[in-house]
Amino acid sequence: MLKAIFLDYTGTITQEAGPDMEQLLMRCYQNSDAPTPKEMLKFWWETLKKLEGQSYGEKFLTEDEIVDKILEAAVEKLHLKENLDELHRLCQRFWMYAPAFEDVPEFFEKCPLPIYVLTNDGVSYIEEAMRHKQLSPAGIISGEMVRAYKPHREIFEKALEVSGCRPEEVIHIGDSMISDVQGARNAGIRPILLDRTGQQETEGVTVVKSLSEVLDFF
């Protein structure tokens, strides 16, 4: 019997865009050698994922430290000339104030089980995000708690510890085949892939196009 829901944050609860991230990327593009805004976006996310992948255990970096390294890489490789502190603050605002998807409030309101948010971002940022969006999760589990990011199993095992559940008593919902689906499976948890666009390769996994569909599971 299900006792709890684990829910991804960025890309599942909040959009991977918004005015703060758009301003950040546009300023980076306008004041660097990036050939197009799209290439700047690609540089940002590829560098982010690379650094998150290298960040584990003794080599763990917080998301704030990773942002500093992304900006340093942009200075070195793209000759970015900008106020790095201001750009960092825009990224922090993105973590807190990126717009939520339309199906999120209803899901939190109608879900009969406690919802635990699993995120690579720092807890203080997500606490502010939840207050701002008027959402009330049962708990927030961050990669910083275990010095590991998704898809490492440690963050999922920490969520099991916090929730008091066994792997078979929860499902994890997220928008990434690697971070969410693979990560949940690494911890023996059933994953559900949230694919709002219908463009992902989804063989072998339960797929929904909105969080509202998950409510039909109960």
Side-chain angles (χ1 to χ4, degrees):
M1 184 176 73
L2 287 180
K3 293 184 177 180
I5 301 295
F6 294 172
L7 190 64
D8 172 52
Y9 181 65
T10 304
T12 299
I13 294 177
T14 61
Q15 302 175 32
E16 294 178 325
D20 296 301
M21 180 54 69
E22 290 170 0
Q23 183 182 162
L24 166 61
L25 293 171
M26 185 56 65
R27 284 176 59 171
C28 286
Y29 158 66
Q30 291 174 337
N31 297 290
S32 75
D33 293 341
T36 64
K38 184 176 181 180
E39 285 299 313
M40 187 65 239
L41 175 64
K42 180 181 178 182
F43 174 86
W44 184 276
W45 289 110
E46 286 183 350
T47 308
L48 171 69
K49 291 304 178 184
K50 177 182 177 181
L51 290 170
E52 285 182 343
Q54 296 171 347
S55 183
Y56 183 76
E58 293 182 358
K59 296 182 179 180
F60 182 81
L61 298 173
T62 67
E63 289 290 280
D64 277 303
E65 291 170 329
I66 286 175
V67 168
D68 285 336
K69 287 193 172 292
I70 296 172
L71 293 171
E72 290 168 6
V75 170
E76 178 183 352
K77 298 179 180 180
L78 300 176
H79 306 112
L80 174 66
K81 293 180 175 61
E82 253 286 1
N83 185 318
L84 302 188
D85 289 337
E86 288 185 5
L87 296 181
H88 192 139
R89 285 193 292 272
L90 283 171
C91 192
Q92 291 171 331
R93 287 186 55 82
F94 162 69
W95 295 332
M96 295 183 286
Y97 305 124
F101 286 100
E102 291 182 359
D103 55 358
V104 169
E106 178 191 32
F107 184 73
F108 270 80
E109 179 184 349
K110 295 184 177 180
C111 182
L113 300 176
I115 299 170
Y116 294 83
V117 176
L118 276 63
T119 177
N120 286 347
D121 300 328
V123 170
S124 62
Y125 298 115
I126 307 309
E127 287 177 339
E128 171 60 20
M130 295 297 101
R131 285 192 292 268
H132 179 258
K133 295 168 177 56
Q134 298 182 325
L135 304 175
S136 299
I140 298 168
I141 295 86
S142 167
E144 292 182 14
M145 293 178 174
V146 292
R147 301 182 67 80
Y149 294 124
K150 299 176 186 178
H152 290 292
R153 64 186 297 168
E154 285 90 340
I155 187 171
F156 296 91
E157 290 173 342
K158 184 65 175 180
L160 292 172
E161 176 189 329
V162 170
S163 66
C165 295
R166 297 190 299 271
E168 64 271 20
E169 295 175 327
V170 303
I171 56 175
H172 176 71
I173 307 168
D175 68 304
S176 168
M177 280 293 291
I178 296 175
S179 296
D180 297 305
V181 173
Q182 179 181 318
R185 285 173 171 167
N186 287 344
I189 295 169
R190 178 191 171 191
I192 293 179
L193 180 69
L194 178 59
D195 183 13
R196 290 185 172 97
T197 65
Q199 296 179 348
Q200 295 198 60
E201 293 290 336
T202 58
E203 184 176 355
V205 62
T206 300
V207 181
V208 295
K209 291 187 177 181
S210 75
L211 289 173
S212 301
E213 291 181 39
V214 181
L215 295 172
D216 295 333
F217 293 4
F218 307 121

